[in-house]
Amino acid sequence: MSLVRAGRLAICLVIPFLATTSLAQVRTADPAQRGLTNADFPRAIKIAANVYTYEDFHAGPERFTTTNMFVVTDEGVLVADGQGSPAETKGLVAAIREVTTNRITTVVICSDHGDHTGGNASFPPGVHYIIHPASKAILDRQAAARADAWKLPASAELVADRTALKLGGEELQILFLGRAHTAGDLAVYLPRQKILFLSEIFLNRVFPAMRSAYPSEWLGALIKAERMDVNIYIAGHGFTEQGPVSTEELHTYRKALEAVITEATRLYRAGVPVDQAVKQANWGEYASWTLASSQGPIAIRKVYEELSGQLK
Ligand SMILES: [Zn+2]
């Protein structure tokens, strides 16, 4: 275990994987329920010899983590997603510095949302970005509308389906599993370690957040992920879990998404107007998940949009 000074006042812990979770661990995205305090974050978790996750708090009143992955190779470091602000992503860069002097060469933008891209200005200049065309269009639009928004370099590599790259002898696959939480979610797969970073395709014990989602296609992406040869699934929000727990939790998440779509569909078919449906929805066990109260109504509206053919 070693201590790192992160970008903010906090100290970043680099902790071994086994120290983080066990089968007895409470399954929740809520740090307090897992016995963690603010002082435990940000933190980096070593999940394989050269692979780490980095967890820091998402902004907002409800506490939960935004999780990134980084892969260290002789030829450089690949980072999957950043944090939501330049100060927070500085913390991620500092945590990488703690474990290697190799430079950050590649950043995969797996989710175009601000809580994963808002800090990208803190990545070193000259970094090679990889992004889905739909996400590039979103970021370009934001940069055109706001002078202070981070600008994706013109050299960014577009991945519409899949690509494989070699970095220091390590094979890394960048995969589009279909539209899901956004129109351009990318996943990063490490075939040697059988690790799959799913970014916001997988929100571990966080209520399915559908503001820019494609509900039924998202389900399809999760089923594809479940069928892959994977030992450790990494979520973009919520905690990094041990291999077997991560597999269970991905399955649990797919069930949650199914249940949310089923409940919204039931209300739609019963002819309940959307404004009443948001009040009538019964989320069952998922009502206790992080963000359920704010994301429930958004999910109803999105599923209604899809069922009525308004979602293109
Ligand atoms: Zn997010």
Side-chain angles (χ1 to χ4, degrees), residues 58 64-66 111 113-116 181 199-200 203 209 211 236-237:
H58 183 269
F64 63 99
T65 52
T66 297
S111 165
H113 283 169
D115 51 334
H116 309 260
H181 177 75
S199 186
E200 295 203 279
L203 310 174
R211 176 173 56 84
H237 289 293

Side-chain angles (χ1 to χ4, degrees), residues 34-259:
R34 288 177 75 119
L36 298 164
T37 68
N38 288 358
D40 292 305
F41 299 91
R43 63 181 191 170
I45 299 167
K46 184 172 184 163
I47 58 169
N50 64 331
V51 186
Y52 299 78
T53 59
Y54 180 82
E55 300 174 341
D56 199 358
F57 287 124
H58 183 269
E62 248 181 288
R63 281 291 201 206
F64 63 99
T65 52
T66 297
T67 304
N68 318 125
M69 180 179 77
F70 59 95
V71 184
V72 179
T73 81
D74 296 345
E75 277 179 64
V77 180
L78 176 138
V79 185
D81 280 347
Q83 293 281 327
S85 72
E88 286 161 342
T89 296
K90 223 177 246 179
L92 164 63
V93 170
I96 295 169
R97 285 287 151 268
E98 172 64 14
V99 301
T100 180
T101 54
N102 298 355
R103 63 194 183 94
I104 299 170
T105 54
T106 313
V107 172
V108 187
I109 296 175
C110 300
S111 165
D112 56 58
H113 283 169
D115 51 334
H116 309 260
T117 57
N120 284 4
S122 293
F123 286 124
V127 156
H128 178 64
Y129 284 95
I130 298 176
I131 189 168
H132 187 276
S135 291
K136 175 183 158 55
I138 299 264
L139 293 184
D140 286 352
R141 213 177 305 145
Q142 283 169 4
R146 273 185 34 217
D148 62 332
W150 175 75
K151 204 172 171 343
L152 179 73
S155 60
E157 178 183 347
L158 301 183
V159 175
D161 179 33
R162 59 161 56 216
T163 193
L165 53 118
K166 273 259 159 78
L167 199 60
E170 192 75 74
E171 186 185 335
L172 300 127
Q173 297 177 7
I174 317 298
L175 309 172
F176 178 63
L177 302 176
R179 299 194 296 183
H181 177 75
T182 73
D185 308 85
L186 291 179
V188 178
Y189 181 55
L190 308 177
R192 188 169 66 84
Q193 300 91 337
K194 298 187 181 179
I195 292 170
L196 182 65
F197 176 77
L198 282 166
S199 186
E200 295 203 279
I201 301 166
F202 177 21
L203 310 174
N204 185 9
R205 298 270 166 173
V206 177
F207 194 92
M210 294 198 185
R211 176 173 56 84
S212 45
Y214 298 83
S216 62
E217 293 170 61
W218 191 351
L219 212 43
L222 286 167
I223 290 166
K224 274 189 205 165
E226 280 195 89
R227 287 182 181 154
M228 286 174 64
D229 185 15
V230 174
N231 288 340
I232 304 169
Y233 292 98
I234 317 259
H237 289 293
F239 289 105
T240 307
E241 309 282 13
Q242 303 281 335
V245 177
S246 77
T247 303
E248 286 176 14
E249 290 301 280
L250 180 68
H251 186 70
T252 299
Y253 187 68
R254 197 246 287 179
K255 290 287 176 204
L257 189 63
E258 263 171 16

